[in-house]
Amino acid sequence: MSDPQIGILMLGIFILFIFLGFPIAFTLMALGIAFGYFAYFDAGRMWRGYERLVEQGAEGWQVWQAYIDGFFNNRIFDLFVNQTYSVMANEVLTAVPLFLFMGYIVERSNIVERLFSTLYIAARRVPGAMAVAALITCTLFATATGIVGAVVTLMGLLALPAMLNARYDKSFASGVICAGGTLGILIPPSIMLIVYAAASGTSIVRLYAGALFPGLLLAGLYITYIVVRSILQPSAAPKPTDDEVGDVPLSKLIWMIITSFVPLAVLILAVLGSILFGLATPTEAASAGALGGLALSAIYRALTWDKLRDSVYLTLKTTAMVCWLFVGSWTFSSVFSYLGGEHLITEFVVGLNLNTITFLILAQLIIFLLGWPLEWSEIIIIFVPIFLPLLEIFGVDPLFFGILVALNLQTSFLTPPMAMSAYYLKGIAPPSVQLIQIFKGCMPFLIFVVIAMVALYVFPQIVFWLPNTIYG
Amino acid sequence: MLQVIHFIDRFTTWVGRSFSWLILLMAFGMGYEVLSRYLFNAPTAWAYDMSYILYGTLFMVGGAYTLSRNAHVRGDFLYRLWKPRTQAKVELTLYVLFFFPGILALAFAGGKYASQSWGYMETSVFSPAGVPIFHFKTMLVVGAVLMLIQGVAQVCRCLVCIRSGEWPADVHDVTELEDQLLESGGQDYVKNPLDIGSATGGKDQ
C-alpha cells in the first residue's frame, strides 16, 4: 500500500468513526497522531541516541532508557504541538469568542419584541406586513448575534402566535421564521465566515465584503417572495382590517424606530463598517461590538448578573468546542496531506474530466449531503479543506467558494433530517403547528437559496464587486 | 464512583468558569486599544499579543469544562439511537484508544515545547514591547492536564452507565437561550406573546 492510499484509508476510517458518536475533535486528534506516527516513522533518526550509546559500549539502565525514548522521538509529536499552538495563536480565530459573546449578550437584551412590533407598524400597509416584519426582524437579529437557534425560538414565541392570530397560513408563517433566522450565518459579521476564513486561509475582511451583497440579495428575494405571495394568495396572509391595524401617530412610530431599530442597525453597521474600511481588525471590531452589545443591553435594562454570567460561560463552552475541533482537524489534515492523500483525491477528481461548473455542482451537492448528518462547524473545519486544493485546478476563487458554501449551508438548517431551525421552531410553536407544515413552509425558501447560488455563478460580480472596489 | 465524577466536575467547572471571565478582559482591553488609537492617537504595543494570549488560554483551559458538559460536537445521528449501555461501552473503548493517548501526547510534547520556551524566557516577536509568551505556551500543558483529569471523570461516567444501564444525571449548568426557552415554554421570557404585534401592542407604551 502506498502512502497516498494510506492517506485515503485514514480518511475512510475517520468517516466510519464519526458514526460512533465520539467527540470528533478527539477522534481527529487520535487518528492524526496514529497515522502521523506511521508517516513520520524514521528508525534511524528516532533511535540515533540509542545507537550512539551502543557504539560507545554503554550498558545498563541508560541504554534501556535511550531505547524507550526512541519511541517518543517521532516528529509527529512536534507537529501536533505546533498545530495546537497555531490554533492558540491564530489571529483570525481570536475574533470568535468576542463575536460569540456579543451574540449571547444581544440575544438576551429583550430587543426582539420591540423590533418586531415597530417593524410591523412601520410596514402595516404592505401586503403580508407581519411576515415582512418577522423576516426583517429575524435577519437583523440573526446578523447581530450570528447564532441561529436563539432567534428562531424567540421569534417562534413572539411572531408565530401573532401571525397565527392574524389567520396567516401556518406553513407560510413558520417558513418565514426559519428562513429569516438562518440568514444570520451568511450576512456578515457572521461567525461561520470567520471559521471558514481560518480553515481556508482566505482573508476574513474580503470574505465579509464579498458576503454582504449575496446576503442582502437572499434577504431581498425572501421579502419579494413574501410580498408577492401575499398579493397572489391573500388567504395565506390576510390583510388586517382597519380595526386591527389601528392608528399610530407618525411621531410615535419614529420614536419607536429610534429606540428599537436604530440602535441595533448602528451596532451592526459600526462593527461591519470598521472592518470593511480597515479602521479596525475583525478582533477589535468584535470587541467593540461586544462592548456595544453590553451598552445596548444596559440601556434596555436587560443586563442582569444572571444574563452576563450565562453569556460568559456559554462563550467559553462554544469557543472551546470550535477551537478544539480546529486542533484535531489541523493535526489530521497536515498528516493527510503529508501522506499525499490530497494529491490522490486531486488526481481522482481531475480524472473525472469535470469542468468548472460540473465541479462546483458536485462540490455543493456533497456539502449539501454532508449537511444532513453534520453541523456547519464540522463541515467547514473538516471537509471544506479537502476541497481547497481542487479550487485552484478549476480556477475557483476560495472567496467565491466560501460564499457558495455559506449559502448552501442555509439549506442544512431547513431540510430534514437535521433541520435545526425547524426543530427549534417546532419545540416552541403552539401544538397545532406540525413539523411537516414547518418543512413545507421552508421549501419555497430553499428554492430561493438555489436561485441565489445560480445568480452568483452567472453574475460573480455580486460577490467580487465590493471587495475589489474597496481593496483593489 | 459518583463522588469522583462530581468532585472532578466541580473542579474543572470552577477552573473553566474562572478563566471564562477573561472574555471581559479581552473585550475591554481591545476596546481600550481602539479608543487609544483613534482618540489619543497612541496605539498600544501589547493589544495584539494580549488578544491571542487571552483567547488561547480561554479555549485551552475551557476544554475540560466543555467536555464535562458534553458540549464537544459529536456526529451523533446513530449514537443517540443506541441504548445507553451500548453508548457507554463504545465511548469507554474510544476514551482508552483515542482520548488518553492523544491528550497524553499533548501533555508531554507540550511540556517539552513549553520548557524550551521557559529556557530563554521567550517573548513575542510581534511588538517591541516584548510581551512574554512562555507562560502562554505552558497553557498547552495546563489544558492537557485538565483534560486528563476530566477524562477520568468521563471514564467513571461510562463505568456507572455500563453497570446501571443509565447515564448518571448531569449537574445543572448554563444552557443556550433556545434550550432555556424550550424548557420553560418561554413563560419567563415573554409575558403575553399574543399581545405583541397587534397594532397597539408593544411593551413600552
Side-chain angles (χ1 to χ4, degrees), chain A residues 348-365:
Chain A
F348 173 73
V349 174
V350 170
L352 290 178
N353 270 328
L354 301 171
N355 56 22
T356 307
I357 175 114
T358 44
F359 164 72
L360 277 178
I361 292 175
L362 186 69
Q364 296 301 329
L365 200 65

Side-chain angles (χ1 to χ4, degrees), chain A residues 21 87 104 244-245 279 317, chain B residues 37-38 55 74 173 176 199:
Chain A
V87 178
Y104 285 126
E244 280 173 322
V245 172
L279 297 176
K317 281 206 289 191
Chain B
R37 192 164 70 213
Y38 287 106
Y55 141 81
R74 324 163 165 254
D173 192 33
E176 300 271 352

Side-chain angles (χ1 to χ4, degrees), chain A residues 214-297:
Chain A
L216 295 179
L217 171 76
L218 191 58
L221 284 174
Y222 285 176
I223 292 176
T224 316
Y225 163 72
I226 293 172
V227 173
V228 169
R229 176 153 179 206
S230 306
I231 295 172
L232 295 181
Q233 192 195 0
S235 64
K239 244 193 168 136
T241 57
D242 281 344
D243 192 33
E244 280 173 322
V245 172
D247 199 24
V248 179
L250 187 65
S251 58
K252 189 167 182 185
L253 177 61
I254 291 175
W255 177 243
M256 284 173 76
I257 291 178
I258 291 175
T259 54
S260 71
F261 177 78
V262 174
L264 196 61
V266 166
L267 184 65
I268 295 171
L269 290 179
V271 170
L272 191 58
S274 57
I275 297 175
L276 292 187
F277 295 108
L279 297 176
T281 65
T283 310
E284 289 165 351
S287 63
L291 296 179
L294 282 173
L296 205 67
S297 182

Side-chain angles (χ1 to χ4, degrees), chain A residues 284, chain B residues 32-47:
Chain A
E284 289 165 351
Chain B
Y32 175 79
E33 151 75 18
V34 175
L35 208 70
S36 160
R37 192 164 70 213
Y38 287 106
L39 282 188
F40 315 130
N41 205 11
T44 62
W46 43 263

Side-chain angles (χ1 to χ4, degrees), chain A residues 88-100:
Chain A
M88 289 168 75
N90 186 291
E91 60 168 340
V92 177
L93 291 174
T94 45
V96 168
L98 290 164
F99 272 126
L100 282 171

Side-chain angles (χ1 to χ4, degrees), chain B residues 145-171:
Chain B
V145 169
L146 285 169
M147 274 288 196
L148 286 176
I149 296 173
Q150 187 60 47
V152 173
Q154 300 306 101
V155 165
C156 291
R157 279 202 164 86
C158 294
L159 291 175
V160 169
C161 180
I162 290 173
R163 198 182 300 160
S164 70
E166 266 171 56
W167 287 106
D170 280 330
V171 213

